[in-house]
Amino acid sequence: MGQTLTGLLTSVRAIAGRPGTPPRARPGGGPDPELLAALRHCGDHLAALAASGPLTDARRTRLIASIGALTTACSTPGADAFDVLLRTGQQALDSGGDAGARLALALADEATVLRARSKGAWRLRGNALDALGRSEEAITAYERHLALQQNTAAARDVERRIATLRAAGDRIDEALALVGAGAGAGVGGTDGAEAVRLSRRLPAAEARVAFTELVRLRTTERGAADPAVRRLAALYAEHRRLSDRDLMADPLLGGAEPIGVPGLRRFLAGRTVCLVADTPHTAEQEQRPGSSLAALIEGYDLVVRCDAVRHAAPTARTDLHAVTLRGDSPWKGPRWDRRATARLVFGDPLPHWRLALRSRLVPGAQDRIGDATLRRPLHDPALLAEAADADGPASTAYTVLRLLDFLGTPARVDLIGFEGPAALPPREREWIGARTGRTDDTAVRITLR
């Protein structure tokens, strides 16, 4: 970057003022009040970044550089800063997290005031609201964008997203109608809808949690065999699929079947699972005829391998391949051509995760692919809901173990070869050690809850 974070924050404050001071246009043709307000939002975001410690995320670095460009445009007489404002909003969105999405929304709000007929501004506002889970407001913004968009081809993605958001809301409405139509007392002794406060107008994360609770309570009350409960569970599954995936099937997935949490739970149910470390020793033993390790691995129902498998033979059995997208996004790298029955790809933010799947999946190399509901199991509020680790993503093996433990359907899970150079970090080993049922020369067996 051309200047330090502190220096940039000083420049932003000098132009736009400090928090609590209403932005005012400077005399002599200075920036519009909306641009000053946008800069002030950027200043607040920079201050939060500065307080969070050293920056190591390239996405945030690009956002800071974009804020620097916006600051320069706002301080240059005669410069048109509008396009820079939109680019900064997009960089904020790409930086990930709620804070980035909130900044993008704030910048989009100022942009729509500056130019009410800018289709780019309304698209940015829709995307930001969508990222924050505010689906109904996102639909309104997307519709404003479509009203201004003359390019039919460019409008298709937005039209599809609107259809998806509406379909997800319709599943909630049908679920509420189904619960309200039930005879007798509602869930939890009161009306089910009131008990869990489920609504299509809730933010997506809250709606997902409320929907989960509604299904749990109604299942407890009436049993899983009840026809209304079965329909409610089906609506919940459809809502989960629609929450993070477009309504239409993606032809670029190479014919693989997308699976979510219910599908993965069924895939693992009652099976013995082993996670095999990719080490030269393990690979050599697997390929040796008559090897006891090869026989041990072959005896499991499912064999899991993680990330780039460099040592195991290309023909080595892989029933489930899991990979974590690391480093700068969008994530580029070799295509996933190792044959696997199912593949799970962990990564965030969602748009770059989708792009990675479309560019790196090989048609025919997998029968099933984990959908977006499985892309961040450690941090998803509907799954493990843990806070993000400041040290970066967890190891892929640990993420898989935590997911299997959460699902609770495998009959047994063992680790093979995770010692020496392949040993997991101390924090992850501590979690495994608390669940270790047996250790021998080849495997660590953990007991799932």
Side-chain angles (χ1 to χ4, degrees):
M1 296 182 305
Q3 55 186 314
T4 66
L5 177 58
T6 303
L8 177 57
L9 178 56
T10 301
S11 299
V12 169
R13 296 298 194 213
I15 297 172
R18 306 186 66 85
T21 303
R24 297 177 180 175
R26 296 185 302 177
D32 290 310
E34 292 79 15
L35 288 174
L36 293 177
L39 267 185
R40 210 166 55 153
H41 290 304
C42 291
D44 295 342
H45 192 79
L46 290 175
L49 290 180
S52 66
L55 295 178
T56 58
D57 190 330
R59 292 173 296 173
R60 290 182 176 180
T61 301
R62 289 193 289 268
L63 170 59
I64 293 168
S66 188
I67 292 174
L70 179 61
T71 305
T72 300
C74 288
S75 60
T76 303
D80 187 352
F82 187 78
D83 288 343
V84 185
L85 174 63
L86 293 186
R87 285 196 296 271
T88 304
Q90 187 59 51
Q91 290 289 357
L93 197 58
D94 290 345
S95 69
D98 284 351
R102 286 193 294 269
L103 175 59
L105 177 58
L107 301 188
D109 286 343
E110 302 301 339
T112 55
V113 174
L114 271 173
R115 297 185 187 178
R117 294 189 58 79
S118 167
K119 59 180 180 290
W122 286 107
R123 176 71 182 268
L124 176 63
R125 189 172 198 276
N127 288 343
L129 289 164
D130 202 349
L132 290 168
R134 294 161 58 177
S135 302
E136 295 301 310
E137 294 173 86
I139 289 173
T140 301
Y142 284 146
E143 288 176 334
R144 291 290 299 271
H145 166 81
L146 289 179
L148 299 166
Q149 177 61 266
Q150 303 298 316
N151 187 331
T152 304
R156 287 172 186 160
D157 284 346
V158 177
E159 291 170 344
R160 183 162 57 246
R161 188 59 188 158
I162 290 174
T164 299
L165 294 174
R166 282 181 171 154
D170 290 345
R171 301 311 187 270
I172 290 177
D173 288 346
E174 184 178 345
L176 293 175
L178 186 66
V179 170
V187 178
T190 62
D191 180 84
E194 291 181 1
V196 297
R197 296 186 296 275
L198 178 61
S199 166
R200 70 186 296 155
R201 296 189 176 278
L202 279 177
E206 295 179 28
R208 183 178 296 178
V209 172
F211 209 156
T212 301
E213 182 67 4
L214 176 62
V215 173
R216 185 189 69 80
L217 291 171
R218 186 48 63 103
T219 302
T220 300
E221 178 186 319
R222 300 194 173 184
D226 182 83
V229 172
R230 289 163 58 188
R231 177 56 185 161
L232 184 65
L235 290 170
Y236 169 76
E238 291 173 15
H239 179 267
R240 285 296 304 269
R241 284 195 297 270
L242 291 166
S243 294
D244 284 321
R245 199 178 76 210
D246 287 342
L247 187 63
M248 296 177 63
D250 190 341
L252 298 179
L253 295 184
E257 174 194 354
I259 59 170
V261 174
L264 183 61
R265 184 177 279 118
R266 290 191 297 271
F267 179 67
L268 298 166
R271 295 184 167 187
T272 57
V273 180
C274 70
L275 275 70
V276 181
D278 185 45
T279 64
H281 172 73
T282 303
E284 189 271 332
Q285 290 292 315
E286 273 196 274
Q287 297 178 60
R288 179 181 297 177
S291 163
S292 60
L293 181 60
L296 175 69
I297 293 173
E298 190 58 33
Y300 288 91
D301 297 321
L302 293 175
V303 177
V304 182
R305 302 182 194 272
C306 299
D307 296 317
V309 184
R310 297 184 175 88
H311 301 292
T315 56
R317 177 182 162 201
T318 305
D319 300 297
L320 175 62
H321 176 235
V323 58
T324 300
L325 300 167
R326 302 181 187 276
D328 294 348
S329 61
W331 300 284
K332 297 180 180 179
R335 303 185 77 188
W336 299 307
D337 55 2
R338 174 174 288 273
R339 174 63 189 165
T341 305
R343 202 177 309 277
L344 299 178
V345 181
F346 305 127
D348 197 36
L350 178 61
H352 292 161
W353 176 85
R354 284 174 172 155
L355 180 61
L357 258 63
R358 292 173 177 178
S359 61
R360 297 178 65 180
L361 285 177
V362 175
Q366 57 281 311
D367 301 323
R368 301 177 179 89
I369 178 70
D371 68 13
T373 64
L374 290 168
R375 67 187 171 87
R376 52 186 192 113
L378 293 180
H379 313 307
D380 191 324
L383 297 177
L384 290 163
E386 293 187 353
D389 193 333
D391 296 331
S395 72
T396 303
Y398 178 72
T399 302
V400 171
L401 287 172
R402 294 296 307 275
L403 179 58
L404 298 187
D405 182 48
F406 174 82
L407 297 175
T409 54
R412 193 177 83 215
V413 178
D414 290 352
L415 296 175
I416 295 179
F418 285 88
E419 67 273 333
L424 299 176
R427 179 178 64 85
E428 298 178 4
R429 291 202 304 271
E430 181 180 355
W431 183 89
I432 293 170
R435 291 157 178 79
T436 297
R438 178 179 62 82
T439 304
D440 57 29
D441 292 338
T442 57
V444 176
R445 179 170 300 168
I446 66 172
T447 304
L448 298 178
R449 59 184 173 89

mmCIF file of all heavy atoms in Angstrom, residues 405-434:
data_model
loop_
_atom_site.group_PDB
_atom_site.id
_atom_site.type_symbol
_atom_site.label_atom_id
_atom_site.label_comp_id
_atom_site.label_asym_id
_atom_site.label_seq_id
_atom_site.Cartn_x
_atom_site.Cartn_y
_atom_site.Cartn_z
ATOM 1 N N ASP A 405 -17.994 -35.771 14.258
ATOM 2 C CA ASP A 405 -18.435 -35.824 15.652
ATOM 3 C C ASP A 405 -19.789 -35.143 15.818
ATOM 4 O O ASP A 405 -20.666 -35.634 16.538
ATOM 5 C CB ASP A 405 -17.376 -35.155 16.528
ATOM 6 C CG ASP A 405 -17.724 -35.195 18.013
ATOM 7 O OD1 ASP A 405 -18.089 -36.281 18.494
ATOM 8 O OD2 ASP A 405 -17.632 -34.153 18.674
ATOM 9 N N PHE A 406 -19.973 -34.014 15.144
ATOM 10 C CA PHE A 406 -21.237 -33.285 15.222
ATOM 11 C C PHE A 406 -22.379 -34.106 14.618
ATOM 12 O O PHE A 406 -23.466 -34.187 15.192
ATOM 13 C CB PHE A 406 -21.109 -31.949 14.497
ATOM 14 C CG PHE A 406 -22.402 -31.179 14.401
ATOM 15 C CD1 PHE A 406 -22.846 -30.408 15.462
ATOM 16 C CD2 PHE A 406 -23.167 -31.227 13.246
ATOM 17 C CE1 PHE A 406 -24.041 -29.707 15.376
ATOM 18 C CE2 PHE A 406 -24.358 -30.534 13.144
ATOM 19 C CZ PHE A 406 -24.798 -29.770 14.220
ATOM 20 N N LEU A 407 -22.136 -34.728 13.468
ATOM 21 C CA LEU A 407 -23.174 -35.505 12.807
ATOM 22 C C LEU A 407 -23.533 -36.739 13.623
ATOM 23 O O LEU A 407 -24.699 -37.132 13.695
ATOM 24 C CB LEU A 407 -22.727 -35.903 11.402
ATOM 25 C CG LEU A 407 -22.489 -34.744 10.432
ATOM 26 C CD1 LEU A 407 -21.938 -35.257 9.110
ATOM 27 C CD2 LEU A 407 -23.774 -33.961 10.203
ATOM 28 N N GLY A 408 -22.520 -37.368 14.222
ATOM 29 C CA GLY A 408 -22.758 -38.458 15.159
ATOM 30 C C GLY A 408 -23.244 -39.759 14.567
ATOM 31 O O GLY A 408 -23.707 -40.635 15.297
ATOM 32 N N THR A 409 -23.154 -39.953 13.228
ATOM 33 C CA THR A 409 -23.700 -41.175 12.642
ATOM 34 C C THR A 409 -22.669 -42.246 12.286
ATOM 35 O O THR A 409 -23.051 -43.404 12.141
ATOM 36 C CB THR A 409 -24.510 -40.846 11.371
ATOM 37 O OG1 THR A 409 -23.696 -40.083 10.465
ATOM 38 C CG2 THR A 409 -25.743 -40.039 11.727
ATOM 39 N N PRO A 410 -21.359 -41.940 12.126
ATOM 40 C CA PRO A 410 -20.420 -43.038 11.852
ATOM 41 C C PRO A 410 -20.336 -44.006 13.031
ATOM 42 O O PRO A 410 -20.464 -43.606 14.203
ATOM 43 C CB PRO A 410 -19.078 -42.322 11.637
ATOM 44 C CG PRO A 410 -19.431 -40.911 11.328
ATOM 45 C CD PRO A 410 -20.685 -40.634 12.098
ATOM 46 N N ALA A 411 -20.113 -45.279 12.738
ATOM 47 C CA ALA A 411 -19.975 -46.274 13.802
ATOM 48 C C ALA A 411 -18.645 -46.112 14.526
ATOM 49 O O ALA A 411 -18.554 -46.372 15.729
ATOM 50 C CB ALA A 411 -20.086 -47.685 13.219
ATOM 51 N N ARG A 412 -17.606 -45.688 13.810
ATOM 52 C CA ARG A 412 -16.283 -45.530 14.399
ATOM 53 C C ARG A 412 -15.457 -44.628 13.503
ATOM 54 O O ARG A 412 -15.633 -44.609 12.296
ATOM 55 C CB ARG A 412 -15.597 -46.890 14.528
ATOM 56 C CG ARG A 412 -14.368 -46.886 15.400
ATOM 57 C CD ARG A 412 -13.786 -48.287 15.536
ATOM 58 N NE ARG A 412 -12.930 -48.628 14.417
ATOM 59 C CZ ARG A 412 -12.819 -49.839 13.878
ATOM 60 N NH1 ARG A 412 -13.561 -50.824 14.351
ATOM 61 N NH2 ARG A 412 -11.998 -50.068 12.879
ATOM 62 N N VAL A 413 -14.557 -43.879 14.114
ATOM 63 C CA VAL A 413 -13.648 -43.025 13.351
ATOM 64 C C VAL A 413 -12.237 -43.223 13.886
ATOM 65 O O VAL A 413 -11.995 -43.079 15.086
ATOM 66 C CB VAL A 413 -14.038 -41.532 13.456
ATOM 67 C CG1 VAL A 413 -13.041 -40.672 12.686
ATOM 68 C CG2 VAL A 413 -15.436 -41.296 12.940
ATOM 69 N N ASP A 414 -11.296 -43.557 13.016
ATOM 70 C CA ASP A 414 -9.894 -43.750 13.387
ATOM 71 C C ASP A 414 -9.004 -42.815 12.588
ATOM 72 O O ASP A 414 -9.314 -42.468 11.433
ATOM 73 C CB ASP A 414 -9.442 -45.190 13.127
ATOM 74 C CG ASP A 414 -10.076 -46.186 14.079
ATOM 75 O OD1 ASP A 414 -10.749 -45.740 15.034
ATOM 76 O OD2 ASP A 414 -9.907 -47.398 13.870
ATOM 77 N N LEU A 415 -7.884 -42.432 13.187
ATOM 78 C CA LEU A 415 -6.829 -41.687 12.503
ATOM 79 C C LEU A 415 -5.671 -42.625 12.235
ATOM 80 O O LEU A 415 -5.251 -43.367 13.136
ATOM 81 C CB LEU A 415 -6.341 -40.519 13.362
ATOM 82 C CG LEU A 415 -7.339 -39.405 13.685
ATOM 83 C CD1 LEU A 415 -6.704 -38.408 14.643
ATOM 84 C CD2 LEU A 415 -7.750 -38.704 12.415
ATOM 85 N N ILE A 416 -5.122 -42.575 11.044
ATOM 86 C CA ILE A 416 -3.996 -43.434 10.684
ATOM 87 C C ILE A 416 -2.870 -42.574 10.119
ATOM 88 O O ILE A 416 -3.074 -41.828 9.158
ATOM 89 C CB ILE A 416 -4.411 -44.505 9.653
ATOM 90 C CG1 ILE A 416 -5.435 -45.453 10.282
ATOM 91 C CG2 ILE A 416 -3.215 -45.278 9.134
ATOM 92 C CD1 ILE A 416 -5.936 -46.528 9.340
ATOM 93 N N GLY A 417 -1.694 -42.668 10.740
ATOM 94 C CA GLY A 417 -0.498 -42.005 10.228
ATOM 95 C C GLY A 417 -0.310 -40.574 10.662
ATOM 96 O O GLY A 417 0.600 -39.903 10.179
ATOM 97 N N PHE A 418 -1.115 -40.070 11.583
ATOM 98 C CA PHE A 418 -1.009 -38.666 11.993
ATOM 99 C C PHE A 418 -0.030 -38.518 13.163
ATOM 100 O O PHE A 418 -0.406 -38.225 14.290
ATOM 101 C CB PHE A 418 -2.389 -38.119 12.374
ATOM 102 C CG PHE A 418 -3.268 -37.840 11.196
ATOM 103 C CD1 PHE A 418 -4.074 -38.833 10.666
ATOM 104 C CD2 PHE A 418 -3.274 -36.589 10.601
ATOM 105 C CE1 PHE A 418 -4.889 -38.585 9.566
ATOM 106 C CE2 PHE A 418 -4.082 -36.324 9.497
ATOM 107 C CZ PHE A 418 -4.888 -37.330 8.983
ATOM 108 N N GLU A 419 1.242 -38.772 12.864
ATOM 109 C CA GLU A 419 2.286 -38.579 13.847
ATOM 110 C C GLU A 419 3.511 -38.010 13.147
ATOM 111 O O GLU A 419 3.565 -37.962 11.912
ATOM 112 C CB GLU A 419 2.643 -39.897 14.563
ATOM 113 C CG GLU A 419 3.301 -40.926 13.662
ATOM 114 C CD GLU A 419 2.310 -41.817 12.924
ATOM 115 O OE1 GLU A 419 1.203 -42.013 13.434
ATOM 116 O OE2 GLU A 419 2.649 -42.280 11.817
ATOM 117 N N GLY A 420 4.484 -37.554 13.909
ATOM 118 C CA GLY A 420 5.680 -36.967 13.311
ATOM 119 C C GLY A 420 5.337 -35.746 12.493
ATOM 120 O O GLY A 420 4.603 -34.854 12.952
ATOM 121 N N PRO A 421 5.838 -35.653 11.252
ATOM 122 C CA PRO A 421 5.564 -34.472 10.414
ATOM 123 C C PRO A 421 4.071 -34.269 10.136
ATOM 124 O O PRO A 421 3.640 -33.158 9.837
ATOM 125 C CB PRO A 421 6.322 -34.788 9.115
ATOM 126 C CG PRO A 421 7.358 -35.792 9.498
ATOM 127 C CD PRO A 421 6.743 -36.613 10.595
ATOM 128 N N ALA A 422 3.285 -35.340 10.225
ATOM 129 C CA ALA A 422 1.854 -35.242 9.926
ATOM 130 C C ALA A 422 1.025 -34.943 11.170
ATOM 131 O O ALA A 422 -0.207 -34.904 11.092
ATOM 132 C CB ALA A 422 1.355 -36.537 9.277
ATOM 133 N N ALA A 423 1.674 -34.727 12.310
ATOM 134 C CA ALA A 423 0.933 -34.480 13.550
ATOM 135 C C ALA A 423 0.137 -33.187 13.453
ATOM 136 O O ALA A 423 0.573 -32.194 12.859
ATOM 137 C CB ALA A 423 1.902 -34.419 14.733
ATOM 138 N N LEU A 424 -1.036 -33.199 14.037
ATOM 139 C CA LEU A 424 -1.894 -32.020 14.031
ATOM 140 C C LEU A 424 -1.407 -31.009 15.070
ATOM 141 O O LEU A 424 -0.653 -31.356 15.984
ATOM 142 C CB LEU A 424 -3.331 -32.441 14.331
ATOM 143 C CG LEU A 424 -3.961 -33.415 13.318
ATOM 144 C CD1 LEU A 424 -5.345 -33.830 13.777
ATOM 145 C CD2 LEU A 424 -4.017 -32.803 11.933
ATOM 146 N N PRO A 425 -1.829 -29.737 14.968
ATOM 147 C CA PRO A 425 -1.421 -28.720 15.951
ATOM 148 C C PRO A 425 -1.847 -29.094 17.363
ATOM 149 O O PRO A 425 -2.796 -29.866 17.560
ATOM 150 C CB PRO A 425 -2.141 -27.451 15.467
ATOM 151 C CG PRO A 425 -2.382 -27.681 14.010
ATOM 152 C CD PRO A 425 -2.625 -29.159 13.869
ATOM 153 N N PRO A 426 -1.157 -28.545 18.376
ATOM 154 C CA PRO A 426 -1.442 -28.921 19.773
ATOM 155 C C PRO A 426 -2.901 -28.770 20.176
ATOM 156 O O PRO A 426 -3.464 -29.632 20.844
ATOM 157 C CB PRO A 426 -0.536 -27.972 20.572
ATOM 158 C CG PRO A 426 0.585 -27.653 19.637
ATOM 159 C CD PRO A 426 -0.015 -27.624 18.266
ATOM 160 N N ARG A 427 -3.529 -27.662 19.791
ATOM 161 C CA ARG A 427 -4.933 -27.459 20.191
ATOM 162 C C ARG A 427 -5.824 -28.552 19.623
ATOM 163 O O ARG A 427 -6.737 -29.039 20.300
ATOM 164 C CB ARG A 427 -5.410 -26.088 19.714
ATOM 165 C CG ARG A 427 -6.854 -25.772 20.051
ATOM 166 C CD ARG A 427 -7.235 -24.368 19.597
ATOM 167 N NE ARG A 427 -7.168 -24.233 18.154
ATOM 168 C CZ ARG A 427 -8.177 -24.577 17.326
ATOM 169 N NH1 ARG A 427 -9.302 -25.056 17.826
ATOM 170 N NH2 ARG A 427 -8.058 -24.409 16.030
ATOM 171 N N GLU A 428 -5.561 -28.958 18.397
ATOM 172 C CA GLU A 428 -6.364 -29.995 17.768
ATOM 173 C C GLU A 428 -6.060 -31.359 18.385
ATOM 174 O O GLU A 428 -6.969 -32.176 18.585
ATOM 175 C CB GLU A 428 -6.109 -29.996 16.261
ATOM 176 C CG GLU A 428 -6.514 -28.671 15.610
ATOM 177 C CD GLU A 428 -6.223 -28.629 14.111
ATOM 178 O OE1 GLU A 428 -5.778 -29.671 13.565
ATOM 179 O OE2 GLU A 428 -6.429 -27.564 13.482
ATOM 180 N N ARG A 429 -4.779 -31.615 18.718
ATOM 181 C CA ARG A 429 -4.428 -32.871 19.377
ATOM 182 C C ARG A 429 -5.081 -32.973 20.748
ATOM 183 O O ARG A 429 -5.464 -34.061 21.194
ATOM 184 C CB ARG A 429 -2.907 -32.995 19.509
ATOM 185 C CG ARG A 429 -2.172 -33.182 18.196
ATOM 186 C CD ARG A 429 -0.818 -33.827 18.405
ATOM 187 N NE ARG A 429 0.024 -33.079 19.335
ATOM 188 C CZ ARG A 429 0.849 -32.099 18.981
ATOM 189 N NH1 ARG A 429 0.953 -31.756 17.698
ATOM 190 N NH2 ARG A 429 1.598 -31.476 19.872
ATOM 191 N N GLU A 430 -5.221 -31.838 21.415
ATOM 192 C CA GLU A 430 -5.867 -31.838 22.730
ATOM 193 C C GLU A 430 -7.324 -32.275 22.613
ATOM 194 O O GLU A 430 -7.825 -33.056 23.437
ATOM 195 C CB GLU A 430 -5.772 -30.444 23.346
ATOM 196 C CG GLU A 430 -6.399 -30.327 24.727
ATOM 197 C CD GLU A 430 -6.281 -28.925 25.297
ATOM 198 O OE1 GLU A 430 -5.629 -28.067 24.667
ATOM 199 O OE2 GLU A 430 -6.864 -28.675 26.375
ATOM 200 N N TRP A 431 -8.019 -31.753 21.602
ATOM 201 C CA TRP A 431 -9.415 -32.152 21.399
ATOM 202 C C TRP A 431 -9.503 -33.648 21.105
ATOM 203 O O TRP A 431 -10.363 -34.354 21.640
ATOM 204 C CB TRP A 431 -10.016 -31.348 20.248
ATOM 205 C CG TRP A 431 -11.479 -31.647 20.007
ATOM 206 C CD1 TRP A 431 -12.547 -31.036 20.573
ATOM 207 C CD2 TRP A 431 -12.009 -32.643 19.120
ATOM 208 N NE1 TRP A 431 -13.713 -31.588 20.107
ATOM 209 C CE2 TRP A 431 -13.420 -32.576 19.222
ATOM 210 C CE3 TRP A 431 -11.442 -33.588 18.268
ATOM 211 C CZ2 TRP A 431 -14.258 -33.414 18.498
ATOM 212 C CZ3 TRP A 431 -12.283 -34.428 17.551
ATOM 213 C CH2 TRP A 431 -13.675 -34.336 17.662
ATOM 214 N N ILE A 432 -8.599 -34.159 20.265
ATOM 215 C CA ILE A 432 -8.604 -35.581 19.917
ATOM 216 C C ILE A 432 -8.276 -36.423 21.140
ATOM 217 O O ILE A 432 -8.896 -37.459 21.400
ATOM 218 C CB ILE A 432 -7.596 -35.856 18.772
ATOM 219 C CG1 ILE A 432 -8.091 -35.184 17.483
ATOM 220 C CG2 ILE A 432 -7.405 -37.349 18.562
ATOM 221 C CD1 ILE A 432 -7.061 -35.180 16.379
ATOM 222 N N GLY A 433 -7.273 -35.962 21.930
ATOM 223 C CA GLY A 433 -6.871 -36.728 23.100
ATOM 224 C C GLY A 433 -8.002 -36.916 24.099
ATOM 225 O O GLY A 433 -8.095 -37.964 24.758
ATOM 226 N N ALA A 434 -8.877 -35.920 24.210
ATOM 227 C CA ALA A 434 -10.001 -36.024 25.139
ATOM 228 C C ALA A 434 -11.011 -37.072 24.695
ATOM 229 O O ALA A 434 -11.860 -37.487 25.488
ATOM 230 C CB ALA A 434 -10.682 -34.669 25.285
#
